[in-house]
Amino acid sequence: PGSIAAGGDCGLKATSTPPASLARGLVGGGDAGVKTSPSVAAYNVTLEGGPVSPETTKQLGLLQNEYEYIQKEFLHELEGLEQAYDKRYAPVLQKRADTVRGNVEDGPLLGFWLVAMLNNAFLRQFISNEDQKCLQYLVDIRCQSLGSQAGFELEFEFHPSNPYFENVVLKKKYLSSSTQDDSIASIVTNPSEITWKNSSMNLITAAEQQGKRSFFSFFTQRIKPMLDETAKESEQQAILREQATFEEDLDTASTFKNFLIPHAHRWFTGDSTQNGSGFSNGGTYANNEVSQNPTSAEAEYEEIVEENDES
């Protein structure tokens, strides 16, 4: 399958139901999964002009069905257009990956993706100093479609000299299933299991022991929890916390897919953090604590390299 690198918003919002496309992915259409009140009577609202007649309600329903029929046609055609452009993006992204990996004459550009990630305010908050030392070995990030399956897969490729884990590529797959009326039934993530070279290199465990969390906790399987209104309040609060964590996970995937991967060089140089560039949106957390110094992340990376050289 082709690499999905186009900009655009696949709709992975922390404050809304996942939209009509998650790589043409987490289902198609309209208000998928949005529950509505069974009647106006459920609210203390008085409609001017009196009660709505059955004929008017039926007409509005028919118009809604007509809209959603057209929308499905649009999504189908959009899927084909995306697939066509994926083929055009692919060789460009392959050349970028080859450049970062390096060759016999030019060594790998270690730190390219780390600097890009540090220049994104949303991603930066999840990256510890120890994570940075490992992420400097990241040489490519890709987003692949899943063909007939609804969803996409993120791939993180590391240089073979990475001393932290055996995996050359870490993957995280996002899959969704839908009901007959196209509402979202479930969303499941399926990440790679990290094979740490030894326990002292396990950044997730080390962060937990300090009461923190590692960026590599992103490679944890998550299933969207459903709120049970009949559960106890304490149980409902726990489910709400799980939902917030899951939505944050989707925001992270969205930031990689829609911002970092297609505009990696702009994030690397810091251009994307400038208001005039058109790429100032740090995922779904636009302009929050975004560095206005294009070289800040690069300078921080150089400090990490110097520390490693000294050790």
Side-chain angles (χ1 to χ4, degrees), residues 290-308:
V290 176
S291 168
Q292 294 302 309
N293 179 1
T295 62
S296 61
E298 295 174 81
E300 187 168 339
Y301 165 67
E302 290 175 0
E303 291 178 3
I304 295 172
V305 173
E306 290 176 1
E307 290 178 1
N308 290 345

Side-chain angles (χ1 to χ4, degrees), residues 109-124:
L109 185 58
L110 298 183
F112 172 83
W113 285 100
L114 169 59
V115 172
M117 291 168 67
L118 290 174
N119 270 331
N120 182 286
F122 177 63
L123 294 177
R124 183 178 184 136

Side-chain angles (χ1 to χ4, degrees), residues 112-261:
F112 172 83
W113 285 100
L114 169 59
V115 172
M117 291 168 67
L118 290 174
N119 270 331
N120 182 286
F122 177 63
L123 294 177
R124 183 178 184 136
Q125 65 182 320
F126 305 121
I127 303 173
S128 70
N129 289 336
E130 290 302 314
D131 290 334
Q132 292 181 33
K133 295 176 183 178
C134 179
L135 288 171
Q136 68 176 310
Y137 294 97
L138 188 59
V139 293
D140 194 27
I141 307 177
R142 303 180 287 271
C143 186
Q144 307 286 355
S145 67
L146 300 178
S148 59
Q149 290 183 294
F152 63 85
E153 184 171 61
L154 293 172
E155 298 182 357
F156 298 76
E157 180 184 338
F158 289 79
H159 193 268
S161 62
N162 170 27
Y164 287 85
F165 44 77
E166 301 289 350
N167 315 63
V168 174
V169 178
L170 295 177
K171 300 180 181 181
K172 188 163 187 180
K173 185 182 297 183
Y174 288 79
L175 291 167
S176 75
S177 61
S178 58
T179 61
Q180 291 183 348
D181 63 355
D182 277 346
S183 63
I184 295 176
S186 65
I187 306 171
V188 178
T189 68
N190 185 18
S192 299
E193 181 178 351
I194 301 177
T195 305
W196 302 98
K197 291 193 173 181
N198 58 64
S199 59
S200 65
M201 293 295 184
N202 190 325
L203 298 176
I204 297 175
T205 300
E208 290 175 346
Q209 290 174 347
Q210 299 175 27
K212 302 177 182 179
R213 70 173 179 178
S214 166
F215 167 78
F216 292 94
S217 298
F218 176 65
F219 297 96
T220 300
Q221 183 173 24
R222 304 194 187 281
I223 300 175
K224 183 179 181 181
M226 305 304 294
L227 190 62
D228 183 0
E229 297 179 357
T230 64
K232 297 179 181 179
E233 183 176 353
S234 59
E235 295 174 346
Q236 290 186 15
Q237 291 299 320
I239 294 174
L240 288 174
R241 288 192 294 271
E242 290 179 19
Q243 287 182 338
T245 300
F246 186 85
E247 288 163 354
E248 183 179 78
D249 186 280
L250 291 182
D251 279 340
T252 303
S254 175
T255 301
F256 278 116
K257 177 183 181 294
N258 294 328
F259 293 93
L260 206 76
I261 293 175

Side-chain angles (χ1 to χ4, degrees), residues 20-21 24 27-30 70-80 82:
S21 86
R24 285 288 67 78
V27 282
I70 296 172
Q71 186 181 49
K72 287 183 179 180
E73 286 188 335
F74 161 71
L75 293 174
H76 179 72
E77 292 185 18
L78 182 60
E79 181 178 8
E82 285 184 340

